[in-house]
Amino acid sequence: MSRSAPRGVSAPPPSSSRSRRPLEAGTPERFMRLALREAEKGQGRTSPNPAVGAVLVQGGKVIGRGHHARAGAPHAEVMALRDAGARAAGADLYTTLEPCDHFGKTPPCSRAILDAGVRRVFVGSRDPNPVVKGRGVARLRRAGVEVVQGVLREACDALNAPWFRFITAGRPFVTLKVAATLDGKIATRTGDSRWVTGPEARLRVHQLRDQVDAVLVGAGTARQDDPALTSRLPSGAGRDPIRVVLDADLRLPTKLGLFHSKSPAPTWVAHLAEPRRTVRRRPRLGPGVELLPCRGRKGRIDLGDLLTKLAGRGVTHLLVEGGAQVFGSFLSRQLADRVLVFVAPKIVGGDGLSWAGGAGALGVRTMDQAISLREPSVERLGDDWLVTGIPAYPLAKNAGEG
């Protein structure tokens, strides 16, 4: 994936046995935006597959729409073709991701497109999956279908950034979510953190949970706040993510509500596979709670090993919600892909808890060693602000354990 890929439309290949029609001004971007809206309907529900949307257009009018709803369900292109029916013959197909060309849980979309008689295909993102990676486009072109690539590529790439990370790195995309005061505190000296931000910011967090596969907290946050980590949207239509709790020595109280949630989503407790001798055997946890043993070093869970295990269970996007030591560990290991900081117009003072792991957590001695955020953006949410960016890590250093 390349976030710097140019916007617009690349030139079609020079050879095609099918007749060509001139592109109407502005229509490729217009219809790809509609396909993106379709794709957004599947966000957080398709893992370990990407979120994909597609529309079919004939004579400047949309005749079919579709999106990938969940893993194992028909892909977006097939859903759009079904919606259009016989009208798909001679139409243009807009899809946010390159059509697949292999048999998985569903047949190849490239063959369905050819069977339907689609004349021209517009693609947003190239598929980095080794089993696809250009094969879908190649098959279509060999059959004489005109293929135009790169339409709104930046937006299409951004939509599936978590899945791209999952495919190319073998681990989930990691988003850090922080709620802090103006002076960077996530709690007072007594540990109180309810509430740092206002209702608008908290609503956005519930929306985030609805769109990710799993949400993670450390043992300190679990013990202090006992968070529900569910998606409580006003409509009641929110989907709860998998809850992941870091508890290296399995010492958290079993009475925590987090271990007895009525949510249909499971809770996974990550712990050291070889615990220290002082660890006591814990009582049985509530239903839906599963222990997840991980490698460790110096008594802490190896975050890299944890992420690999989560990817093996189909987690493509992980939302990390605290606490300070956990945030610092992900940053120090350079495993955070995006940072969301909800900033409240409040000041706690020097004895409050800073969010990035405390003194010395990142080993920053001079400002040129600091982690900066690329592509920063700021959004107003009620009385608070949301600062979003992509961590630009300094020169690589030896990764530690989380």
Side-chain angles (χ1 to χ4, degrees):
M1 166 182 146
S2 172
R3 297 185 65 89
S4 59
R7 295 179 181 269
V9 181
S10 60
S15 60
S16 174
S17 61
R18 301 195 182 195
S19 60
R20 297 197 180 156
R21 294 165 293 171
L23 296 179
E24 298 178 37
T27 55
E29 289 78 11
R30 172 194 167 197
F31 292 121
M32 188 61 75
R33 288 190 183 94
L34 296 179
L36 280 165
R37 291 180 191 171
E38 288 294 315
E40 289 169 357
K41 297 176 182 178
Q43 279 189 299
R45 289 149 175 80
T46 63
S47 294
N49 293 346
V52 183
V55 296
L56 277 160
V57 178
Q58 184 78 271
K61 296 181 179 180
V62 175
I63 59 172
R65 302 171 186 262
H67 71 278
H68 184 46
R70 57 179 174 78
H75 290 184
E77 300 93 327
V78 172
M79 295 301 293
L81 290 170
R82 290 180 181 177
D83 190 34
R87 296 177 297 170
D92 290 341
L93 172 68
Y94 291 79
T95 178
T96 57
L97 185 68
E98 175 185 357
C100 67
D101 189 53
H102 65 286
F103 283 91
K105 292 184 178 179
T106 60
C109 291
S110 58
R111 299 189 184 185
I113 293 168
L114 293 175
D115 290 344
V118 170
R119 181 185 297 267
R120 189 164 51 189
V121 176
F122 295 83
V123 176
S125 296
R126 295 181 180 180
D127 194 328
N129 192 335
V131 300
V132 182
K133 209 168 187 178
R135 292 183 176 89
V137 168
R139 177 181 290 276
L140 294 174
R141 284 177 170 167
R142 285 197 304 269
V145 175
E146 182 181 344
V147 180
V148 180
Q149 298 190 79
V151 181
L152 294 185
R153 180 177 175 181
E154 185 175 329
C156 292
D157 284 355
L159 174 77
N160 274 314
W163 184 76
F164 286 2
R165 175 68 71 189
F166 173 77
I167 288 295
T168 59
R171 69 164 177 83
F173 184 94
V174 176
T175 296
L176 304 188
K177 188 282 296 181
V178 181
T181 61
L182 278 176
D183 53 345
K185 309 302 180 183
I186 59 176
T188 67
R189 61 183 177 83
T190 64
D192 181 61
S193 61
R194 295 190 177 180
W195 295 101
V196 175
T197 55
E200 293 86 354
R202 298 200 296 273
L203 174 60
R204 177 62 62 85
V205 173
H206 289 295
Q207 293 169 338
L208 282 168
R209 291 175 183 172
D210 176 62
Q211 295 180 348
V212 302
D213 300 318
V215 57
L216 178 148
V217 295
T221 298
R223 183 181 289 106
Q224 178 70 30
D225 299 337
D226 193 10
L229 302 180
T230 53
S231 177
R232 301 183 294 279
L233 297 178
S235 63
R239 168 190 160 276
D240 293 342
I242 298 165
R243 293 170 293 279
V244 182
V245 184
L246 303 183
D247 186 12
D249 293 331
L250 295 176
R251 290 186 175 279
L252 283 173
T254 59
K255 64 181 180 180
L256 289 177
L258 189 58
F259 296 143
H260 302 277
S261 175
K262 296 181 180 180
S263 168
T267 299
W268 297 342
V269 181
H271 64 93
L272 294 174
E274 298 181 3
R276 295 176 293 190
R277 295 179 182 177
T278 55
V279 174
R280 300 185 299 271
R281 185 181 299 275
R282 74 180 304 153
R284 185 177 179 179
L285 296 170
V289 180
E290 181 180 351
L291 298 181
L292 187 61
C294 299
R295 291 200 307 264
R297 184 180 181 184
K298 298 180 180 179
R300 293 185 180 181
I301 293 169
D302 183 334
L303 295 179
D305 184 55
L306 171 61
L307 292 180
T308 298
K309 285 181 168 58
L310 294 179
R313 293 174 173 228
V315 174
T316 65
H317 194 175
L318 176 67
L319 180 65
V320 177
E321 294 201 25
Q325 186 180 77
V326 174
F327 291 142
S329 295
F330 273 97
L331 289 171
S332 66
R333 286 212 56 183
Q334 302 186 1
L335 291 173
D337 299 295
R338 183 174 60 174
V339 175
L340 306 179
V341 184
F342 294 85
V343 181
K346 301 176 182 178
I347 298 174
V348 169
D351 55 355
L353 180 62
S354 298
W355 74 263
L362 301 182
V364 175
R365 295 186 178 183
T366 59
M367 276 297 170
D368 61 354
Q369 297 175 333
I371 299 172
S372 58
L373 294 185
R374 294 188 293 108
E375 304 178 26
S377 65
V378 179
E379 178 184 356
R380 183 74 178 267
L381 294 170
D383 292 333
D384 307 313
W385 296 270
L386 170 58
V387 180
T388 303
I390 301 168
Y393 295 105
L395 294 177
K397 57 184 178 180
N398 294 330
E401 266 55 46

